[in-house]
Amino acid sequence: MESFSKHRIELAKEKLREKLSFQYVSNLPAYKNITKAQYEKLIANIEAISLALLETITNSNNLNHG
């Protein structure tokens, strides 16, 4: 993860919240009755999974090339 600056990660998190706003998510049939607290937990989980995948990819690339 060192190859990605914290600034870029924060920008990605902001972009995620813009694309998947509470209003957008609550209009999806699967999340019709989502509360704000559930939305925050959903977004936090998406961020955690995304960061884990990113770390896995970067670590895999480091192992293959170095």
Side-chain angles (χ1 to χ4, degrees), residues 4-62:
F4 292 97
S5 68
K6 286 186 179 185
H7 176 71
R8 289 181 64 190
I9 292 172
E10 290 303 317
L11 288 176
K13 286 181 177 184
E14 286 177 26
K15 204 171 193 180
L16 173 70
R17 289 181 179 269
E18 288 172 11
K19 296 258 184 202
L20 294 178
S21 67
F22 178 72
Q23 292 78 20
Y24 177 81
V25 172
S26 63
N27 284 327
L28 297 172
Y31 298 102
K32 183 177 162 184
N33 297 321
I34 195 169
T35 66
K36 190 69 170 175
Q38 290 170 325
Y39 165 77
E40 292 297 331
K41 187 170 184 173
L42 174 68
I43 294 298
N45 288 340
I46 291 170
E47 290 172 350
I49 291 168
S50 299
L51 289 173
L53 289 172
L54 179 63
E55 187 173 344
T56 300
I57 291 168
T58 56
N59 284 343
S60 173
N61 287 341
N62 289 341

